[in-house]
Amino acid sequence: MAVSPAGSSPAVDLSRRDARRTSGAIRLETAGIVILSFLFFYVHRSRHYAGDGALLDRLIEGGKWLVQNELLSQAFLQLLYRLASPWGRTPLEIMNWASCLGGALSVWILLRFARRFYQLPFWYPLLLFLSSGFLVYACGHTEYYPLVLPALLGFGYSGTAYLRGSAPLLPVCLLFILGCGLHFVTLLALPSLLLLPWLTRRRRDYISIFTWLLLLVPLFLIRSYPQILGHKAAGLSPAWNVLPWFPYPGMYRLYAFFQWGHWLDWLYAWAMRSWCIA
């Protein structure tokens, strides 16, 4: 067999070139799908407020940088508004852009996940996303959840890579902390984070996890004492929305954690976000 001056055979060189071409074609295809997804989301964006959208509009227009449970989300929307307001952009348009951007980023993460771990064609994760309830968050939704969605999907993607031994723990921890900064609802994923070293039998990684979790301390301090940064934090009512474990007289919640009403609501929310039912 003939050997090239570099020490490898022509067949090996040819296979490497083909692999580079294939990789480049995949990247180009992925970029095209993500851009088209963003345009699709933007064309079908919401023209009306949903959920707390009207309140968020007033907070953004009023110059609020901090909201107690959504610290980084509100700061990001406020930054976008400050940058775009000279061109007459409204808070509603800012939330639309952020939502469509979050949706496009979510599509990119799902494409990466499907190709890296299962070698699936692009249409499978794309149809999965478009047929799920998460599509609502991608089409100009006027709440903070569109910003949290890609962080949670990235957390799941990096966590799967860690479980398969193809990635370190660092991106998993960073995305978890980022998700908490965007919305404290990400704390619901804490058990998943704590299970990773146990499932992989890498007990020493718990040291890294608990070290990174220390970053939650400044987030909680800023939430409780925003004057640290020289700002007043707005609160969506109720600002600290935690259910009591059991019902008690005079409880202002609709139900407690261990009441049937809560479990029925949880089942409904899960079903509405399931691609099997959506």
Side-chain angles (χ1 to χ4, degrees):
M1 179 183 292
V3 178
S4 64
S8 59
S9 68
V12 172
D13 291 339
L14 185 60
S15 65
R16 286 174 180 171
R17 284 198 295 271
D18 289 343
R20 284 196 294 269
R21 288 196 193 101
T22 303
S23 177
I26 289 175
R27 289 195 185 98
L28 188 62
E29 179 186 85
T30 301
I33 293 171
V34 170
I35 292 171
L36 288 175
S37 297
F38 175 83
L39 294 176
F40 174 83
F41 298 149
Y42 187 75
V43 168
H44 295 88
R45 68 191 183 278
S46 173
R47 267 74 170 186
H48 306 284
Y49 296 115
D52 295 318
L55 176 56
L56 266 57
D57 185 296
R58 293 194 294 273
L59 291 174
I60 295 170
E61 195 169 24
K64 289 289 185 183
W65 283 92
L66 298 176
V67 169
Q68 287 180 327
N69 288 342
E70 300 88 4
L71 297 171
L72 295 183
S73 294
Q74 177 62 23
F76 178 72
L77 293 176
Q78 185 61 232
L79 177 62
L80 281 184
Y81 180 67
R82 296 289 179 95
L83 294 174
S85 55
W87 288 273
R89 302 298 93 183
T90 65
L92 176 60
E93 291 174 306
I94 296 301
M95 287 186 280
N96 285 164
W97 290 348
S99 170
C100 298
L101 211 60
L105 184 57
S106 298
V107 168
W108 177 75
I109 294 170
L110 288 176
L111 290 173
R112 291 274 301 172
F113 184 92
R115 281 186 173 134
R116 179 174 179 180
F117 300 124
Y118 300 103
Q119 293 76 51
L120 293 172
F122 75 88
W123 55 265
Y124 190 91
L126 190 61
L127 288 179
L128 184 68
F129 185 82
L130 294 178
S131 63
S132 73
F134 290 129
L135 181 62
V136 174
Y137 291 155
C139 292
H141 191 68
T142 57
E143 289 189 294
Y144 296 118
Y145 302 117
L147 297 175
V148 186
L149 180 59
L152 287 175
L153 290 176
F155 171 74
Y157 171 67
S158 57
T160 302
Y162 172 81
L163 287 173
R164 289 172 175 245
S166 59
L169 186 64
L170 176 62
V172 189
C173 295
L174 286 177
L175 285 165
F176 178 79
I177 297 298
L178 174 63
C180 290
L182 291 168
H183 200 305
F184 279 124
V185 72
T186 308
L187 288 171
L188 293 174
L190 181 59
S192 301
L193 177 63
L194 296 177
L195 273 174
L196 292 177
W198 183 79
L199 291 172
T200 56
R201 297 182 180 178
R202 302 182 209 168
R203 304 295 194 271
R204 291 184 179 179
D205 283 351
Y206 277 115
I207 298 174
S208 299
I209 286 180
F210 288 118
T211 301
W212 282 105
L213 287 179
L214 290 175
L215 290 177
L216 291 177
V217 175
L219 287 177
F220 278 106
L221 286 175
I222 293 170
R223 182 208 170 274
S224 301
Y225 308 101
Q227 59 269 26
I228 296 172
L229 300 180
H231 292 277
K232 290 183 178 180
L236 301 181
S237 181
W240 192 244
N241 196 12
V242 180
L243 291 176
W245 294 110
F246 301 99
Y248 58 86
M251 182 178 68
Y252 70 96
R253 308 287 190 194
L254 293 176
Y255 43 65
F257 187 88
F258 287 110
Q259 283 188 296
W260 280 112
H262 174 233
W263 295 106
L264 288 174
D265 257 10
W266 181 87
L267 179 62
Y268 172 80
W270 179 87
M272 290 301 102
R273 288 162 176 78
S274 169
W275 70 273
C276 296
I277 298 176

